[in-house]
Amino acid sequence: MLMRHCRSRDIQILDVGCGTGIVGEHLHANGFRRFDGTDPSLEMMQHARARSYENLLQLIPDQPLPVSDSEYDATLCVGVFTHGHLGPEGFSELIRVTKPNGLICFTVNEGVWDNEGFANAIEQHSLAGEWEVLEMIKQDYMVNEGIQAWYVAVKVLG
Ligand SMILES: C[S@@+](CC[C@H](N)C(=O)[O-])C[C@H]1O[C@@H](n2cnc3c(N)ncnc32)[C@H](O)[C@@H]1O
């Protein structure tokens, strides 16, 4: 989804909730070189060190992300909007750290989509003129468990 919507591989990317860095491995394999990761777990980020991240930063849940406003061309958040992790209140920080006209791509586990109000929150950010939805599809996610997720790409507006 990132590759469908970004114009260049030479962009600065933040991977929020990077965990052990599986997303970074895919970014590197697809030609991206400038990406940072952030996660609450230092232990998980130890594994991400071998996966080409330029910087790995610890975040504190419910606090602002440890990066400046409008720092990134693209922000990714994979596997974090799920049971017991982060709710739609997390969208504001993804928007804050992404440049105007930048891209945010995230997944939402189907099991929290309705009961945590994700569709409504996405709509509210659109109505507020903060982002424009580029793509929103439901597809396979945790394949062995038969669980799907929503995959969403939005463009941050100025
Ligand atoms: C299922 S893992 C996904 C890791 C990685 N993105 C991937 O796709 O392999 C969920 C990650 O979210 C992190 N996490 C939990 N609460 C978070 C929060 N409030 N903000 C950001 N990340 C969080 C966890 O530490 C964990 O690394």
Side-chain angles (χ1 to χ4, degrees), residues 63-67 75 89-98 104:
Q63 301 273 315
L65 294 172
V67 299
T75 302
E89 70 282 357
F91 288 152
S92 301
E93 275 299 289
L94 303 187
I95 294 168
R96 180 184 69 77
V97 303
T98 308
I104 305 174

Side-chain angles (χ1 to χ4, degrees), residues 12-13 15 18 20-37 45-56:
Q12 187 74 43
I13 300 171
D15 179 13
C18 63
T20 58
I22 294 170
V23 169
E25 192 168 289
H26 286 281
L27 288 173
H28 193 268
N30 284 284
F32 296 93
R33 293 291 180 269
R34 300 168 57 212
F35 50 90
D36 298 337
M45 281 198 292
Q46 286 297 341
H47 299 276
R49 290 198 187 289
R51 286 176 154 150
S52 308
Y53 288 85
E54 289 190 316
N55 299 289
L56 288 164

Side-chain angles (χ1 to χ4, degrees), residues 1-2 13-27 36-40 44 53 59 74-83 85-86 91 94 104-109 139-142 149-153:
M1 194 171 251
L2 170 69
I13 300 171
L14 180 65
D15 179 13
V16 177
C18 63
T20 58
I22 294 170
V23 169
E25 192 168 289
H26 286 281
L27 288 173
D36 298 337
T38 183
D39 198 276
M44 291 184 80
Y53 288 85
L59 70 82
T75 302
L76 309 180
C77 192
V78 178
V80 180
F81 294 114
T82 186
H83 304 278
H85 280 1
L86 187 61
F91 288 152
L94 303 187
I104 305 174
C105 299
F106 56 89
T107 61
V108 182
N109 187 308
Q139 62 183 26
D140 289 345
Y141 176 57
M142 298 167 77
W150 287 88
Y151 292 69
V152 185

Side-chain angles (χ1 to χ4, degrees), residues 110-126:
E110 64 174 345
V112 298
W113 179 260
D114 287 330
N115 53 15
E116 296 197 23
F118 275 95
N120 182 51
I122 290 167
E123 174 74 6
Q124 290 307 314
H125 284 291
S126 298

